[in-house]
Amino acid sequence: QLLLQESGPGLVKPSETLSLTCTVSGGSISSRGYYWGWIRQSPEKGLEWIGSIHYSGSTYYNPSLNSRVTISADTSKNEFSLRLSSVTAADAGVFYCVRHGSTSSTRFFDYWGQGTLGTVSS
Amino acid sequence: DIQMTQSPSSLSASVGDRVTITCRASQSINSYLNWYQQKPGKAPKLLIYAASTLQVGVPSRFSGSGSGTDFTLTISSLQPEDFATYFCQQSYNTLEFTFGPGTKVDVK
């Protein structure tokens, strides 16, 4: 059974960088055909896809966040990470790590972490 | 970017009712439409992908239909565990995923 688990500081100060890690167990992030990503959920914006990474290093990001987002992967640890810079209160929400396929017919989110709350406050 | 809308935003229903939720895309997305169910405090769960294909383990009372811009999620006979919020999501745009705002199904 594939399990995804988010971790990282729940509280970040305005203008600083939010950093989260997703540890994957029960499967490998190096599996062909899959991307690993992050989704944020907030009352204001609903579910918002942040970006995704393939184990090869290929990434793509939500254009609205592109300049502030970096997603990286560490295949030796079977984990991937999110960095969101210059945060404001509008960046708060529950952050989920997810898996999706890489082809047109498989680009749905079939595995989700339990979610971690990210708060922005001084 | 592709905008997704859902209707209604909420509905009240009783166990055994037939429930229909609509999702509309701002442009044609062929059949690249997925549905999720979310319960309070939990992550969303994939129900249906490619507009009408049931994810493994999802009860057959759930069904999806549509193509182009208009899609429907139907629960044929609502069960107590189905009270939740439902989201649609497009995967047509290869560079960006977008979700609908959700439809909350609660007890009448």
Side-chain angles (χ1 to χ4, degrees), chain A residues 92-103:
Chain A
V94 177
F95 290 77
Y96 297 100
C97 56
V98 294
R99 185 187 84 164
H100 67 85
S102 59
T103 66

Side-chain angles (χ1 to χ4, degrees), chain A residues 64-82:
Chain A
S64 68
L65 299 169
N66 185 54
S67 62
R68 298 193 293 128
V69 174
T70 302
I71 297 177
S72 58
D74 186 336
T75 55
S76 67
K77 295 182 179 179
N78 213 36
E79 61 186 33
F80 59 102
S81 300
L82 167 71

